[in-house]
Amino acid sequence: MAMDKTFDAGSAEPRIYAKWEAAGAFKAGANAKPDAETFTIMLPPPNVTGFLHVGHAFNHTLMDILMRWKRMQGFDTLWQPGLDHAGIATQLVVEKQLAELGEKRTDYSREDFIAKIWEWKAISGGTIQEQDKRIGAGMDWDRSAFTMDDTFHDAVIKVFVDMYNKGFIYRGKRLVNWDPHFETAISDLEVENIEKDGHMWHFKYPLAGGATYDYVEKDEDGNVTLRETRDYIAIATTRPETMLGDGAVAVHPTDERYAPIVGMLCEIPVGPKAQRRLIPIITDEYPEKDFGSGAVKITGAHDFNDYQVAKRAGIPMYNLMDTKAAMRADGKPYVEEAAIAQAIANGEQTFDEAMIAAMNMVPEEFRGLDRFEARKAVIDAITAEGLAVMVEGPPNEDGEVCMAPEMIPYVESKKIMQPFGDRSKVVIEPMLTDQWYVDTAQIVEPALDAVREGRTKIMPESGEKVYFHWLENIEPWCISRQLWWGHQIPVWTAQVPTLSGEVGSWKVNVGDEISRAKAKKFLDNDRLDEKAMGGRLTQGGLLTMEFCAASLEEAQEQIAEVWLARTGQKPSLFSEINTDPGDWYLNYGHSPEGKGIPMWRDPDVLDTWFSSGLWPFGTLGWPNDTPELAKYFPGDVLITGQDILFFWVARMMMMSNAVMDEDPFHTVYLHQLMRDAKGEKMSKTRGNVIDPLVMVDEYGADALRFTMGQMAALGGVLKISEDRIKGYRNFGTKLWNAFSFAEHYEIPNSGNHTLPKAEQTLNKWIIGETAKVRETVDAALETYRFNDAANALYAFTWGKVCDWYLEFSKPILQGEDAAAKAETEATLRWVLDQALIMLHPIMPFITEELWGLADSRDTLLVTADWPTYTAADLVDAEADREMNWVINLIDSVRSARAQSHVPAGAKVPLVVMGLDAKGQSAWDNNSALIQRIARIETLNHVDAFPKGCVTIPMEGGTFGLPLAGLIDVPAEIARLEKSVTKLGKELGGLRGRLNNPKFVESAPEEVIAEARENLALREEEEAQLKAAIARLAELG
RNA sequence: GGGUGAUUAGCUCAGUUGGUAGAGCGCUUCCUUUACACGGAAGAUGUCGGGAGUUCGAGCCUCUCAUCACCCA
């Protein structure tokens, strides 16, 4: 049966993949030797909304290479697949679908909306898993996990409850990154800072009571450059709309310009004139003297830097915006709010966080405006009032200097870093809200130690530095999201009686340091002692307590116990409510009897990364004690993009140590983002996206995979181009043709090809080369140098097997020596088999197809055994040297022929001068193939070369091609002289080194020996060349 | 502003404890020779970003400058 001309990837790949699946080749433990070590890789779960892009293709290919390699080596392997529920991304997809029907999320109940998402998932989710099969990824699909599965949900809730009980999780009012589009908090990592064109406005804050001071500016030498009397302090801001929430103006403590007015009050120049708020001028290290005016307005609730300043100085933080980042429209009239605020600023009234949070400092004229509209309105109002700092406008168009230049407001145009939501692409608003946090400081140490102590290795090493830098400065992790799709936080709040039996309102702020410590004590000792918790009763008449539990029932049990302890009666009726407890009391009054005890669950869901942090063990059935968990946890290698080192890798490290008390894997292989051939990020707008599936259609999965492997240099930039993929498709065809060569020569293909006992130099040589490449490939894969493995296999297959071995075998295969022929046939089949085996992890499809051409095989290639022979066993040094000599001679003859324009087909005679015994035997052993490949007619021994002879210097003798008439003497002299010049440089270097006593003293012996040997060889070659030039010169 | 990395052939990139530079693609010339034109043969191209230092010896180590990229402010 004749082979097809090329491998038809399009039709073969699905057929082969189906065969693998049918054979259970990807199941955990396939091809495992008895009592084998395990090798586990957890697939970084793609978003359930995801499609296979080139980054996945790269990432998954590397994992598949390792898995296939380890499986063939007989490890007990598991490649665990799965999908991430991807909170925002998934909710967004379904909301978009609703929008097409003219519906909104809020048209549905939470339950109904979540049901819609599950519906969507059943139909469209997880497309990527089918796409993964196209690139040959062999995962244990039956084990595919989903971060919203019931068992996974159990794991998430259990971890939350445990961590809560250990005091690792707390709720607090903090400044968070608020996404006004999705109306949820997001983590720092989900914010992209992008530099945009922006403006900086300069405004005057008048000093209270019309006070004035001497404002003096000096240059570097202390000379006065400006002196004027001012009744204001100028501030510069990029966000005028937040002026309404200012709590102070800060200057640097060493700033002499403002020293006279520190401690004084100034007026926020916006809002109704009668209620202008006065705020203090304070000092803080934060303002930079040279930036803007050197004075910074402090708006603690809407800026991260200001937040720190405000916390340090006890400045109130007024929240100005609603969840859509529009100016607040709730609360009391501005007049009343402003009066209270003023009392606070004057120190006449105490305040607490909750009180400040409730106050709306937005004057009526701005209420309800979008933040950007509000910005314009504020600027206009201030400018109209003459409180903008003014500067001279640009000259008139005719360029003449006017007598009275027009004065315009001072607005600097500059680049401003602005935070954007990575999903929503809208400007993130810092907002002061109640959120849940993981106190990462408490769980970070084991994760740091793992890497510090080398238990977990990050590759490339630079990743470790980045890892340390981030984890050593880690911020609390905000884990609550105001979404519907996700794991809802398992915390209920319920009404409980006070110890004295009365009903009061008791709010514990576990966010601040003191009460958190107390809270921990409380948890350790007595759940019921609210005094230990540092709680305090307020006037509201409602006492509530927080209950963290794995289920509603457990929460109710906890609540009931509190009631039992305090009232002596255990209640059994509960009333789940969704509204604010205050509203509940409006409805039911203060008597819960008959209605049940009011309780409500925190509506927020957990950050997606909280659940994916549990991936390494959640996928194996934890918290259940499954055999898989015992066997495959902890895993071995994590392969993932550098971009999620913090998002995911660091969190898995922390969570795994916190929950399992073990590191989740011993090696983290980080790679960069996949870029296009020019190094640009791929994006739809740029139009430079390479679709891996299109590449698979065009060139086959193997070509794409080989390209991926070949690119995967540690720490390297990943630039992919179609030309490259095409090149490796050609490589596949080359391999294919090696087999069609074997078919053509009718070499038996039993399928049972064992290592032959070789007598022929040629066969000894290629067997040795095979052993060398096996060692190279294993060494490369052991150290995750996929590129080295791929390149070694490419060079072996094409450069050794196809270019030389197959060519060399032709005379034997067509020759009369039956023993030599049989040996060569057996060797050839064995070598080709080895190539298939070693190439299989990178190019699984074509190798499996070629493997299947044999008459019979014990197994599919995917579960064939990986070789273990070594170069030490199989390399025959003598055969090695001889074949290299032969290859060298052929190369030189070919080169000389081409230089002299000898027709390719013409056979020419060869002469040799002074051939030594070794050279003679090398020639004798291989004359047939040298003559065939180099197209040599005869070899004659001569004492002197004839006239017009091209010289070929070789070790052990000088060969010559007598080409009288054909040879261009001056050109040949030029060619030889060029070689001599090149040699001269090398000789110079070698002699320089060897003549340097310090080199001989300090260099290692083998280096010196090598240099000496090299020098001798080069000198011999130089002598041969010079003699040749001399002969030619006589001719000319 | 802080951090990390990069700068090597026309292009894209390798180069593993310092021993004197490689691959693929592209390019030039020749060849349809019985595995393969998705091929074969031959060939050209680099003071390894600049400068300084350590060393017998530096693409590799140190310092410095320049440019670029990414991450974090």
Side-chain angles (χ1 to χ4, degrees):
Chain A
M1 177 191 75
M3 284 173 68
D4 290 339
K5 200 168 159 53
T6 55
F7 176 56
D8 180 10
S11 69
E13 287 174 358
R15 166 167 51 79
I16 294 168
Y17 197 94
K19 224 192 267 182
W20 289 329
E21 283 208 285
F26 304 138
K27 290 209 174 301
N31 199 44
K33 289 187 179 138
D35 303 317
E37 274 182 61
T38 58
F39 184 80
T40 310
I41 294 183
M42 298 287 165
L43 179 80
N47 285 357
V48 64
T49 57
F51 296 91
L52 191 85
H53 59 62
V54 72
H56 294 121
F58 176 76
N59 183 258
H60 298 186
T61 296
L62 297 196
M63 280 181 264
D64 197 44
I65 290 171
L66 288 182
M67 291 312 303
R68 285 176 185 271
W69 174 57
K70 289 284 182 185
R71 188 182 298 117
M72 291 168 87
Q73 285 188 327
F75 282 77
D76 184 343
T77 54
L78 167 63
W79 188 7
Q80 172 66 50
L83 295 165
D84 192 286
H85 69 276
I88 291 182
T90 309
Q91 186 162 320
L92 181 63
V93 165
V94 176
E95 279 187 87
K96 268 188 182 160
Q97 284 192 336
L98 290 183
E100 280 168 19
L101 304 171
E103 294 176 330
K104 302 192 295 288
R105 169 173 58 131
T106 45
D107 295 343
Y108 291 82
S109 71
R110 182 169 180 144
E111 289 69 26
D112 290 346
F113 180 74
I114 289 173
K116 283 255 167 221
I117 297 184
W118 281 108
E119 265 172 45
W120 169 86
K121 192 221 168 213
I123 297 165
S124 320
T127 312
I128 193 167
Q129 298 198 330
E130 287 309 309
Q131 295 175 326
D132 253 326
K133 297 181 181 177
R134 301 271 329 268
I135 62 163
M139 301 178 218
D140 190 351
W141 296 112
D142 293 342
R143 298 193 45 80
S144 185
F146 181 47
T147 54
M148 283 290 279
D149 280 345
D150 286 347
T151 53
F152 212 95
H153 180 74
D154 291 346
V156 170
I157 296 302
K158 181 171 166 54
V159 168
F160 186 98
V161 174
D162 287 352
M163 290 179 77
Y164 178 95
N165 288 336
K166 286 179 184 161
F168 296 167
I169 288 180
Y170 62 89
R171 178 156 49 185
K173 195 180 276 293
R174 296 291 158 85
L175 202 58
V176 296
N177 297 296
W178 187 267
D179 187 318
H181 176 77
F182 292 117
E183 299 178 57
T184 177
I186 58 176
S187 79
D188 297 350
L189 294 172
E190 292 165 297
V191 177
E192 289 177 51
N193 288 295
I194 302 173
E195 198 171 59
K196 294 271 181 184
D197 289 325
H199 300 285
M200 188 163 227
W201 289 270
H202 292 249
F203 297 130
K204 297 173 178 175
Y205 282 42
L207 294 178
T212 61
Y213 66 111
D214 265 355
Y215 177 82
V216 180
E217 272 184 10
K218 294 178 181 169
D219 64 15
E220 284 171 6
D221 303 325
N223 303 315
V224 173
T225 54
L226 175 70
R227 179 188 291 274
E228 62 183 19
T229 300
R230 284 187 176 175
D231 60 356
Y232 64 89
I233 181 167
I235 60 98
T237 180
T238 58
R239 304 210 47 203
E241 71 278 13
T242 65
M243 285 170 62
L244 300 162
D246 286 356
V249 170
V251 297
H252 197 270
T254 62
D255 197 333
E256 292 176 18
R257 293 171 297 179
Y258 301 114
I261 54 169
V262 169
M264 294 172 73
L265 296 173
C266 62
E267 180 185 307
I268 300 173
V270 67
K273 200 75 177 147
Q275 284 85 31
R276 286 282 159 89
R277 208 146 50 82
L278 294 173
I279 54 175
I281 297 166
I282 64 170
T283 59
D284 193 278
E285 298 286 335
Y286 162 61
E288 282 176 51
K289 284 192 273 190
D290 299 332
F291 192 81
S293 65
V296 182
K297 64 192 221 40
I298 299 301
T299 319
H302 287 283
D303 182 280
F304 283 94
N305 290 313
D306 293 6
Y307 177 72
Q308 296 299 335
V309 177
K311 272 216 321 204
R312 282 195 284 271
I315 303 291
M317 309 186 209
Y318 298 108
N319 193 353
L320 299 172
M321 298 178 200
D322 63 18
T323 58
K324 292 190 168 69
M327 306 310 281
R328 283 172 62 177
D330 61 342
K332 297 179 196 143
Y334 179 73
V335 178
E336 290 175 38
E337 301 276 32
I340 301 166
Q342 196 55 61
I344 291 171
N346 296 345
E348 295 157 13
Q349 177 160 354
T350 59
F351 63 95
D352 66 17
E353 210 175 50
M355 176 180 165
I356 296 289
M359 291 172 63
N360 181 359
M361 299 312 299
V362 181
E364 274 74 9
E365 55 182 309
F366 302 118
R367 289 191 179 187
L369 292 182
D370 171 78
R371 57 189 159 158
F372 300 112
E373 292 169 5
R375 177 178 300 174
K376 284 198 197 78
V378 167
I379 294 164
D380 290 348
I382 298 173
T383 308
E385 204 177 312
L387 287 172
V389 174
M390 305 297 278
V391 291
E392 284 182 20
N396 290 346
E397 276 177 18
D398 54 15
E400 284 174 30
V401 179
C402 299
M403 293 302 287
E406 190 195 4
M407 297 299 282
I408 59 161
Y410 181 29
V411 182
E412 287 177 77
S413 290
K414 59 192 318 180
K415 296 276 185 194
I416 294 170
M417 269 300 187
Q418 281 195 286
F420 290 85
D422 64 355
R423 294 265 166 212
S424 66
K425 308 295 177 198
V426 303
V427 178
I428 293 305
E429 186 65 40
M431 292 270 252
L432 204 51
T433 56
D434 275 313
Q435 300 291 343
W436 287 94
Y437 292 88
V438 170
D439 190 7
T440 38
Q442 289 193 66
I443 59 170
V444 74
E445 281 306 318
L448 274 167
D449 287 344
V451 179
R452 282 194 194 120
E453 293 165 10
R455 298 200 307 270
T456 302
K457 193 173 167 198
I458 300 179
M459 307 181 72
E461 218 171 310
S462 62
E464 298 193 351
K465 287 188 201 168
V466 180
Y467 179 84
F468 288 140
H469 188 257
W470 191 70
L471 283 190
E472 282 164 5
N473 299 291
I474 194 163
E475 297 284 326
W477 171 16
C478 176
I479 51 170
S480 45
R481 297 289 182 274
Q482 288 64 49
L483 303 173
W484 282 356
W485 176 240
H487 300 286
Q488 193 174 354
I489 289 174
V491 173
W492 285 261
T493 306
Q495 192 218 5
V496 295
T498 61
L499 277 182
S500 55
E502 67 191 270
V503 174
S505 172
W506 180 49
K507 288 227 171 177
V508 179
N509 177 8
V510 278
D512 76 71
E513 290 301 322
I514 298 165
S515 61
R516 202 163 70 222
K518 285 181 180 167
K520 190 163 178 346
K521 192 171 162 231
F522 161 78
L523 290 165
D524 289 344
N525 301 326
D526 175 9
R527 265 210 96 85
L528 311 179
D529 181 1
E530 71 263 32
K531 277 182 189 149
M533 244 184 114
R536 53 184 181 272
L537 290 166
T538 60
Q539 304 93 331
L542 176 65
L543 175 60
T544 59
M545 253 176 106
E546 208 173 86
F547 297 88
C548 179
S551 65
L552 176 67
E553 293 70 30
E554 282 178 38
Q556 288 174 342
E557 182 56 31
Q558 286 182 20
I559 296 164
E561 274 174 31
V562 173
W563 279 80
L564 175 65
R566 296 182 179 198
T567 61
Q569 288 180 325
K570 193 165 180 180
S572 57
L573 192 57
F574 295 88
S575 174
E576 272 194 276
I577 57 175
N578 290 319
T579 60
D580 184 90
D583 294 341
W584 190 86
Y585 274 91
L586 286 179
N587 291 332
Y588 298 109
H590 282 258
S591 166
E593 292 83 21
K595 301 288 181 205
I597 294 161
M599 63 183 296
W600 57 98
R601 184 172 185 174
D602 193 305
D604 293 355
V605 299
L606 285 164
D607 178 11
T608 303
W609 298 102
F610 187 91
S611 49
S612 33
L614 313 180
W615 191 246
F617 44 94
T619 48
L620 296 173
W622 188 90
N624 298 315
D625 198 6
T626 64
E628 288 80 9
L629 185 68
K631 197 170 187 183
Y632 296 111
F633 182 85
D636 289 273
V637 190
L638 177 76
I639 299 186
T640 192
Q642 222 165 30
D643 51 329
I644 56 172
L645 176 63
F646 307 138
F647 271 113
W648 193 46
V649 181
R651 280 158 184 180
M652 277 193 286
M653 296 282 286
M654 291 192 285
M655 298 296 257
S656 187
N657 271 287
V659 177
M660 305 295 285
D661 205 24
E662 273 194 274
D663 305 317
F665 25 70
H666 58 65
T667 301
V668 177
Y669 177 98
L670 296 176
H671 58 77
Q672 300 208 344
L673 226 63
M674 187 69 70
R675 296 158 184 287
D676 75 359
K678 290 174 191 159
E680 303 272 343
K681 273 188 186 175
M682 290 191 195
S683 72
K684 281 180 191 157
T685 43
R686 278 202 187 92
N688 60 351
V689 176
I690 291 185
D691 182 339
L693 298 175
V694 171
M695 294 298 110
V696 169
D697 287 340
E698 184 74 18
Y699 303 107
D702 292 324
L704 179 70
R705 291 171 60 108
F706 203 94
T707 309
M708 299 299 188
Q710 195 278 341
M711 269 195 303
L714 267 174
V717 179
L718 304 174
K719 299 184 194 175
I720 188 169
S721 74
E722 197 171 330
D723 278 347
R724 211 168 249 243
I725 300 171
K726 192 169 154 188
Y728 292 116
R729 187 269 322 259
N730 296 355
F731 173 63
T733 305
K734 188 73 182 177
L735 179 69
W736 185 263
N737 279 313
F739 278 79
S740 88
F741 173 96
E743 295 295 311
H744 182 262
Y745 283 87
E746 295 175 346
I747 299 174
N749 191 5
S750 65
N752 177 28
H753 308 124
T754 51
L755 176 64
K757 182 89 192 74
E759 301 290 340
Q760 300 284 315
T761 308
L762 172 65
N763 292 330
K764 286 183 189 167
W765 168 75
I766 196 66
I767 288 169
E769 290 296 326
T770 309
K772 282 190 207 166
V773 78
R774 192 240 102 200
E775 288 194 358
T776 308
V777 168
D778 277 343
L781 291 179
E782 295 288 356
T783 49
Y784 308 98
R785 296 173 179 276
F786 299 92
N787 57 324
D788 286 351
N791 287 336
L793 286 164
Y794 186 98
F796 170 73
T797 307
W798 200 315
K800 299 277 196 228
V801 177
C802 292
D803 283 351
W804 294 110
Y805 183 69
L806 296 188
E807 288 302 327
F808 285 165
S809 70
K810 284 177 185 172
I812 304 177
L813 294 172
Q814 294 168 336
E816 299 303 315
D817 184 341
K821 187 178 173 191
E823 178 191 305
T824 302
E825 286 181 342
T827 307
L828 196 149
R829 276 297 178 199
W830 178 81
V831 167
L832 288 180
D833 262 12
Q834 302 309 305
L836 290 184
I837 291 168
M838 289 189 274
L839 279 165
H840 181 262
I842 309 183
M843 308 186 106
F845 291 107
I846 192 170
T847 51
E848 187 72 78
E849 182 80 346
L850 289 169
W851 181 263
L853 293 177
D855 301 338
S856 77
R857 294 279 193 187
D858 296 339
T859 168
L860 291 174
L861 180 57
V862 68
T863 43
D865 288 339
W866 190 263
T868 53
Y869 44 71
T870 64
D873 295 339
L874 301 185
V875 171
D876 180 323
E878 201 48 50
D880 216 35
R881 187 155 56 232
E882 191 174 302
M883 288 314 297
N884 283 324
W885 186 87
V886 170
I887 288 170
N888 223 331
L889 177 60
I890 292 170
D891 268 342
S892 302
V893 172
R894 278 172 166 175
S895 183
R897 291 172 58 116
Q899 296 277 331
S900 310
H901 304 293
V902 178
K907 290 202 166 187
V908 294
L910 186 67
V911 294
V912 65
M913 208 163 49
L915 189 63
D916 66 14
K918 258 189 187 169
Q920 185 64 53
S921 109
W923 172 269
D924 291 344
N925 289 341
N926 302 285
S927 59
L929 51 93
I930 298 172
Q931 283 178 271
R932 179 189 177 109
I933 294 168
R935 304 221 156 226
I936 300 297
E937 210 164 22
T938 50
L939 177 73
N940 288 314
H941 290 262
V942 293
D943 295 327
F945 281 166
K947 284 185 178 180
C949 186
V950 179
T951 304
I952 298 163
M954 287 291 296
E955 207 181 332
T958 309
F959 287 80
L961 281 179
L963 298 171
L966 281 169
I967 185 169
D968 174 347
V969 176
E972 178 62 8
I973 291 179
R975 182 179 80 94
L976 294 174
E977 273 175 349
K978 201 175 162 191
S979 302
V980 172
T981 312
K982 217 173 158 187
L983 266 180
K985 273 188 196 165
E986 262 186 86
L987 282 167
L990 286 165
R991 288 191 186 118
R993 273 201 280 164
L994 287 166
N995 291 338
N996 185 333
K998 285 188 176 172
F999 172 70
V1000 183
E1001 271 170 42
S1002 42
E1005 265 181 48
E1006 60 269 25
V1007 172
I1008 298 168
E1010 195 189 321
R1012 289 217 167 99
E1013 197 183 333
N1014 226 336
L1015 181 65
L1017 284 172
R1018 299 293 170 213
E1019 277 175 339
E1020 187 195 335
E1021 199 178 329
E1022 190 190 34
Q1024 291 179 355
L1025 284 170
K1026 283 191 170 160
I1029 291 169
R1031 281 194 300 276
L1032 285 167
E1034 281 172 28
L1035 263 185

